[in-house]
Amino acid sequence: MMQGEDRKKRKQSLNPRSVSEEYSLRERPKEDTTKMKNKVSASSGNSKKRPWSWDQYLEEERAIAAPVRAFTEGQSFPQTKNGFKVGMRLEGIDPLHPSMFCVLSVAEVIGYRLRLHIDGYSECYDFWVNADSLDIRPSGWCESTGHKLHPPKGYKINEFNWEKYLEACNAQSAPKNLFKSQNSNTPTSKFQVGMKLEAVDRKNPCLVCVASVADIVDNRFLVHFDNWDDTYDYWCDASSPHIHPVGWCQDHGRPLTAPQGHPNPEHFVWEEYLEDNSASAVPSQAFCMRAPHGFQVNMKLETVDRRNPMLIRVATIVDIEDYRVKVHFDGWHSKFDFWVDSDLPDLHPVGWCGRTGHPLEPPLTQAGPSDLKSSVTQGVCPTPGCRGVGHIKGAKYTGHHSAFGCPYSDINMKKEVVLPDRLGGEKQITFVPVHFVQKTKRLFAEDEGEDEVQDEEGHVENRAELSGYDGAPRLRGRPPGHAMVKLKEETSSQGQKALSPLGKRGRLPSRLAQSTKYLRIKDEEEEIELNSLIA
């Protein structure tokens, strides 16, 4: 009897409710209810006729679901319910400025996910997290831990008071019991603020750069690239494959990118740099790189849509590296595929949406040709497969009805959406980057023409160059230009060109192409199809 009940519960978890039922579970501010009503009703009509089922889909596709054991704790099924409510206030990390803790408010709740708003700023800077995210904290946390809290726009840092602010907003703080307790087994006691290390630039993963430990919170620390702003910073723990001890590049024959403005970047020497800055290196025994992930090609999972992060779609892993996976949304064109770290919180096992009460977008092929065309006649969105939900400019708009606002339209796939940095000045934020693929040459001439992996689009993906070469000479820091990796002229899927020679930092994308006048913050990893510099 008990076995029968268990099977019934499992079946329910794999078979999400209809789209209309799931979207009714979302919690939004009252003024947004009317805006979403028409879009939800228009998108749910077909779901009532033929409910989508994971069990049936896996059987039809003769596919297997990624095993739960392949997912991290933050990706797998949550152990508690989401108790956050719209309007609650809290503190958290700004994903575009990872060194900053800001005053946040819960703008929307869908299942186990939250859309967070940075108080005092435009909704276009809103972002989504899971309810157990390590990036959010209860109000008062910064004061109790000695961290600087960046208040809402118009407030002075030294004059901000949580009690008065909550009273002025007629709001309440999110209860402390809603936040996940920190229980990681990865120690960071050997890492100290100010210590130096070598770290992969995750927005330009072909680079390993001089970096520092800028902050430590529980079992995580903030990696900061020396003499660069915080938009390239990221949080990780000691098991991250993106961090290495001082001297790692030399030991592995890799180029090390010196700090911006270094007087002699071609001949960077760690001993001199540490002495000049009165700094010490992170002990080599502090690093404990985790084992590679257990995902395999063709495994199914549920993944947040990066171009429209309010949605979670049925997805397939189409390529893998030791610590990254390439995700494809079932039924969609491969131009929407993207590489991500295997431990990204936006990857979930089959059945996650059904168990947490989040709507799951079924494969596009399940809709049928007539339904794909129906949106045009209904005046929703002319892009095939798009139901008019979401907007290219983020949460400021709940939906769209034309190609100009569609995250998937050709016009928006061919251009970057640039927004001003919320902190002001002349900085610019690339809110949605143009997808592009880098083409590379071999590090050594004798290797050219060997082991090149060419995909259907014809780009060359060099796996050996960045994953390790035992025969490489030992180099001190950044070697002369002739020993550098030379990257060919890259051509995006839209025909745009960019030059990306690894040896000349100023011509690589993102911070590498920035001037002192403009800054473009690229989406993490920018779809660069290069192995992260890990070994």
Side-chain angles (χ1 to χ4, degrees):
M1 182 67 179
M2 291 298 293
Q3 292 179 348
E5 292 180 356
D6 291 340
R7 285 196 298 269
K8 184 177 180 182
K9 290 180 179 179
R10 180 179 178 275
K11 186 174 182 180
Q12 290 175 343
S13 69
L14 295 180
N15 297 328
R17 303 176 182 86
S18 67
V19 175
S20 60
E21 291 175 326
E22 293 293 357
Y23 271 102
S24 67
L25 292 174
R26 72 171 58 211
E27 183 181 352
R28 297 177 62 90
K30 294 182 179 179
E31 60 270 20
D32 286 347
T33 304
T34 304
K35 296 180 182 179
M36 290 301 300
K37 185 176 181 181
N38 294 333
K39 295 190 179 299
V40 173
S41 60
S43 65
S44 61
N46 189 55
S47 298
K48 293 181 179 179
K49 296 179 182 179
R50 195 177 74 179
W52 188 84
S53 162
W54 258 120
D55 289 335
Q56 182 180 351
Y57 183 65
L58 291 173
E59 183 177 352
E60 291 175 351
E61 297 291 316
R62 296 182 178 180
I64 60 172
V68 176
R69 65 177 179 274
F71 295 87
T72 65
E73 181 182 358
Q75 298 170 323
S76 193
F77 302 105
Q79 302 299 315
T80 59
K81 293 184 178 180
N82 183 1
F84 288 93
K85 302 294 182 183
V86 168
M88 285 183 173
R89 295 318 199 259
L90 61 155
E91 299 174 2
I93 296 173
D94 176 359
L96 295 179
H97 294 279
S99 68
M100 296 184 179
F101 289 87
C102 306
V103 174
L104 306 173
S105 57
V106 179
E108 186 174 357
V109 178
I110 307 181
Y112 200 65
R113 302 178 70 219
L114 313 172
R115 175 165 64 88
L116 298 178
H117 176 72
I118 303 177
D119 283 17
Y121 296 90
S122 170
E123 286 183 322
C124 66
Y125 302 108
D126 290 6
F127 58 96
W128 290 87
V129 298
N130 295 331
D132 59 359
S133 171
L134 299 177
D135 293 338
I136 56 177
R137 304 284 169 158
S139 59
W141 178 86
C142 282
E143 182 178 4
S144 64
T145 59
H147 285 80
K148 179 189 293 186
L149 177 65
H150 294 262
K153 192 173 184 179
Y155 286 80
K156 295 181 179 180
I157 294 180
N158 298 330
E159 297 178 358
F160 179 79
N161 178 275
W162 261 116
E163 185 176 353
K164 293 180 180 178
Y165 181 68
L166 292 172
E167 183 178 353
C169 296
N170 192 26
Q172 64 173 354
S173 293
K176 293 183 179 180
N177 65 300
L178 299 183
F179 296 84
K180 181 180 180 180
S181 58
Q182 312 301 306
N183 55 1
S184 172
N185 295 322
T186 306
T188 57
S189 57
K190 295 180 181 179
F191 289 83
Q192 297 180 17
V193 173
M195 283 185 169
K196 304 294 181 181
L197 67 159
E198 299 177 3
V200 173
D201 177 354
R202 294 175 65 181
K203 293 181 180 179
N204 299 282
C206 53
L207 298 182
V208 178
C209 310
V210 173
S212 302
V213 177
D215 195 1
I216 299 176
V217 175
D218 297 322
N219 294 300
R220 299 197 304 166
F221 56 88
L222 182 66
V223 174
H224 173 73
F225 295 101
D226 289 17
N227 290 352
W228 290 93
D229 60 55
D230 74 334
T231 56
Y232 302 95
D233 294 4
Y234 57 86
W235 290 86
C236 66
D237 62 25
S239 69
S240 172
H242 302 298
I243 58 173
H244 304 289
V246 164
W248 182 88
C249 281
Q250 176 189 355
D251 294 340
H252 291 78
R254 304 289 178 77
L256 175 66
T257 303
Q260 181 179 219
H262 191 274
N264 193 6
E266 299 292 335
H267 301 282
F268 176 84
V269 179
W270 264 117
E271 288 79 2
E272 296 176 358
Y273 185 70
L274 292 173
E275 183 178 355
D276 291 344
N277 289 273
S278 300
S280 60
V282 176
S284 57
Q285 61 269 27
F287 299 83
C288 51
M289 186 169 11
R290 62 177 178 267
H293 63 73
F295 293 107
Q296 297 295 328
V297 172
N298 294 327
M299 284 183 172
K300 302 290 184 180
L301 68 165
E302 300 176 1
T303 305
V304 173
D305 186 339
R306 297 179 75 186
R307 297 190 67 83
N308 200 354
M310 66 184 292
L311 303 179
I312 296 182
R313 299 187 182 279
V314 171
T316 302
I317 294 174
V318 293
D319 199 358
I320 58 174
E321 297 171 356
D322 284 349
Y323 297 96
R324 297 202 304 166
V325 296
K326 189 177 185 180
V327 176
H328 170 76
F329 292 127
D330 288 20
W332 289 81
H333 192 279
S334 60
K335 66 183 178 181
F336 297 109
D337 295 0
F338 57 92
W339 283 94
V340 293
D341 289 342
S342 61
D343 62 345
L344 182 76
D346 290 345
L347 306 180
H348 302 291
V350 164
W352 189 88
C353 284
R355 189 175 300 187
T356 61
H358 194 289
L360 176 65
E361 302 297 311
L364 188 58
T365 53
Q366 301 293 308
S370 60
D371 296 304
L372 297 182
K373 297 178 181 178
S374 63
S375 62
V376 179
T377 59
Q378 293 174 4
V380 179
C381 175
T383 304
C386 181
R387 300 183 284 102
V389 176
H391 199 281
I392 188 65
K393 292 189 176 180
K396 186 174 182 179
Y397 306 98
T398 58
H400 63 277
H401 62 274
S402 70
F404 293 100
C406 179
Y408 317 103
S409 65
D410 287 340
I411 190 174
N412 285 324
M413 289 293 291
K414 297 177 182 179
K415 69 178 183 181
E416 293 179 336
V417 178
V418 180
L419 300 173
D421 190 335
R422 69 175 183 85
L423 300 181
E426 296 180 323
K427 294 181 180 179
Q428 300 289 312
I429 293 177
T430 301
F431 182 67
V432 179
V434 170
H435 174 85
F436 68 91
V437 177
Q438 281 192 332
K439 299 180 179 181
T440 65
K441 287 185 178 179
R442 284 307 196 192
L443 180 58
F444 301 101
E446 60 267 28
D447 289 338
E448 287 195 22
E450 299 179 3
D451 301 326
E452 290 180 339
V453 181
Q454 190 162 359
D455 69 7
E456 295 178 356
E457 296 180 355
H459 75 270
V460 176
E461 185 175 358
N462 186 337
R463 296 187 177 280
E465 171 189 310
L466 300 178
S467 61
Y469 187 84
D470 294 334
R474 294 172 62 86
L475 305 177
R476 166 57 68 182
R478 185 175 175 180
H482 67 270
M484 290 290 190
V485 178
K486 297 295 184 180
L487 300 184
K488 288 191 292 186
E489 207 176 59
E490 63 187 24
T491 304
S492 74
S493 58
Q494 290 77 33
Q496 296 177 335
K497 294 183 178 181
L499 294 174
S500 297
L502 181 59
K504 293 192 179 296
R505 185 185 189 97
R507 298 178 67 187
L508 273 165
S510 194
R511 63 165 158 164
L512 311 180
Q514 77 176 32
S515 66
T516 57
K517 186 176 181 181
Y518 293 105
L519 168 68
R520 295 184 179 276
I521 304 169
K522 298 293 185 183
D523 199 1
E524 184 175 322
E525 296 190 29
E526 288 192 323
E527 322 303 346
I528 298 178
E529 301 202 19
L530 293 173
N531 284 326
S532 297
L533 288 176
I534 50 183

